[in-house]
Amino acid sequence: MKFSEKATLGLLFSLTLIVAGCGQKSASDANTASTGTSVPVKTETAKLNVQVSFYPMYEFTKNVAGDLADVHTLVPAGMEPHDWEPTPQDIASLEKADVLVYNGAGMESWIDQVTGSLSNASLIQVEASKGINLLEGGEHEHHHGESEATEHDHDHDHANEATTEEHDHDHDHSDEATAEEQHDHDAEAEAGHDHDHGGLDPHVWLSPALAVKEVRNIEAGLAQAAPEHAEQFKQNADAYIAQLESLDQDFKAAVTDSKRKDFITQHAAFRYLAKEYGLQQVPIAGLSPEQEPSAAQMASVIDFAKEHQVKTIFFETLVSSKVSETIASEVGAKTAVLNPIEGLTEEEIAAGMDYISVMRQNLEALKLALNE
């Protein structure tokens, strides 16, 4: 059977289209052919893939990135992050990430080992606490005697001044670190406490003033990853920092005329906040909320609470409140939550809570405790 001339021309035209289509591979197909793996090709509108260590870093990063990045938290909701370790799935996520944001100051004990093992050479790492003058973590607050209020200042050292100079309100006290160290050691000896944690205190995010500096560092990291969006990142950061600065002013106003300046916490997470606002944190345990206080530590806190007629013993949401309840029962005090915001519970997430709203809850709890 012979094809008609019209049918033959139609068949040839169809074959031409098929051959042309097969010859036009996408950039992804070309990458697969040359490397054996599919490598996504970013376009100008592609979102950044940002991995963050734990909740406060998520909150700060998401507010800076807006819709320009997909932000994922490594530590799951409701999990205490101090002793968390990444899984193989987390490592795989980091291999695909554009940016990794972490707090630093020893909060993420795994960071050096994990990032050192990655083959993701283009990963931009943002240490949010970089440039902040960090406090020693192995030292305890005053349990008797002079308050932190006598040492209060804004002693934040900026190694990366360029990322934070717009909001710099620091003062240079060259001899302060030595004086503070001696003062804390004296207080520690008086309270009879041993060093419970080496290294640095990582809880800088609990001071709204220092949170501003972390946000600026994150802004700089995102701008490095996507310079074409640097102006939008700055606008987003400015808007969020306005909220942080309002929060900072409210804390200052709340403690100015308070009846007392001391508060007892479950673990030593609030030293930066206390220092910023001239308060005295009295922790039951050290930097890790999982740590059990010694009998001597318990006795020292009980003595302090009785001597200073403390009416509230604070605990937190992600760990057991048993120790705080024991001390409260011993001294006839009540318990209340002071949240270190190391993560949100499922209930807090369902209620739409975030860093600002939790910090405002902390502010109200402190206002009550400081005026009893």
Side-chain angles (χ1 to χ4, degrees), residues 11 32 35-36 84 116 130 136 231 250 292 304 307 309 317 324:
L11 179 60
T32 302
T35 65
W84 177 86
K130 185 178 180 181
E136 290 294 327
E231 183 57 33
D250 289 344
E292 290 290 332
F304 180 91
E307 178 182 343
Q309 299 181 336
T317 53
S324 294

Side-chain angles (χ1 to χ4, degrees), residues 265-278:
T265 61
Q266 184 160 329
H267 89 286
F270 295 90
R271 191 174 176 200
Y272 291 100
L273 182 146
K275 187 173 181 62
E276 189 71 35
Y277 304 115

Side-chain angles (χ1 to χ4, degrees), residues 83-364:
D83 300 317
W84 177 86
E85 295 288 341
T87 66
Q89 290 77 14
D90 296 320
I91 304 299
S93 296
L94 290 173
E95 291 287 9
K96 301 174 184 177
D98 301 307
V99 181
L100 168 62
V101 178
Y102 63 100
N103 183 76
M107 185 66 188
E108 299 89 352
S109 59
W110 46 268
I111 193 71
D112 290 337
Q113 182 177 358
V114 168
T115 56
S117 68
L118 295 176
S119 60
N120 184 357
S122 63
L123 178 68
I124 292 174
Q125 300 178 40
V126 181
E127 183 178 11
S129 65
K130 185 178 180 181
I132 294 173
N133 191 16
L134 301 169
L135 301 175
E136 290 294 327
E139 297 168 359
H140 291 276
E141 273 61 37
H142 322 281
H143 280 204
H144 301 284
E146 189 175 356
S147 167
E148 287 264 19
T150 62
E151 305 173 57
H152 177 61
D153 58 53
H154 297 206
D155 74 328
H156 316 147
D157 176 32
H158 293 274
N160 60 340
E161 198 73 41
T163 66
T164 58
E165 60 183 345
E166 297 174 71
H167 292 264
D168 184 12
H169 59 287
D170 302 346
H171 308 295
D172 181 17
H173 295 285
S174 59
D175 60 343
E176 179 183 16
T178 302
E180 178 183 307
E181 182 177 358
Q182 182 61 49
H183 192 67
D184 284 351
H185 274 293
D186 292 343
E188 180 183 345
E190 184 178 359
H193 286 191
D194 295 325
H195 286 231
D196 70 312
H197 192 286
L200 301 169
D201 183 346
H203 301 89
V204 295
W205 64 89
L206 289 170
S207 162
L210 297 183
V212 168
K213 300 176 189 304
E214 293 206 297
V215 168
R216 286 299 181 197
N217 284 338
I218 292 168
E219 177 202 337
L222 294 180
Q224 181 183 349
E228 68 275 16
H229 297 308
E231 183 57 33
Q232 186 62 58
F233 293 143
K234 183 181 185 304
Q235 291 178 18
N236 294 345
D238 288 347
Y240 187 61
I241 283 171
Q243 297 182 58
L244 294 174
E245 290 176 337
S246 175
L247 181 65
D248 176 44
Q249 291 302 314
D250 289 344
F251 266 94
K252 289 177 180 176
V255 304
T256 298
D257 298 321
S258 60
K259 293 180 180 179
R260 63 189 311 129
K261 300 296 183 184
D262 50 59
F263 61 98
I264 295 178
T265 61
Q266 184 160 329
H267 89 286
F270 295 90
R271 191 174 176 200
Y272 291 100
L273 182 146
K275 187 173 181 62
E276 189 71 35
Y277 304 115
L279 301 175
Q280 176 188 355
Q281 173 190 237
V282 180
I284 300 170
L287 288 176
S288 173
E290 303 286 344
Q291 181 186 16
E292 290 290 332
S294 67
Q297 287 174 310
M298 292 280 285
S300 178
V301 173
I302 289 171
D303 289 345
F304 180 91
K306 289 179 176 178
E307 178 182 343
H308 294 80
Q309 299 181 336
V310 176
K311 300 294 193 297
T312 300
I313 309 297
F314 286 114
F315 69 97
E316 57 199 65
T317 53
L318 294 183
V319 295
S320 171
S321 61
K322 181 179 179 181
V323 172
S324 294
E325 291 170 351
T326 298
I327 291 178
S329 177
E330 181 71 22
V331 303
K334 66 179 183 295
T335 59
V337 171
L338 196 63
N339 196 332
I341 324 182
E342 293 174 349
L344 297 183
T345 65
E346 294 293 345
E347 293 76 16
E348 288 168 336
I349 294 171
M353 301 293 289
D354 57 19
Y355 172 88
I356 298 289
S357 59
V358 174
M359 283 298 290
R360 290 203 171 278
Q361 286 186 341
N362 284 344
L363 174 57
E364 293 305 312

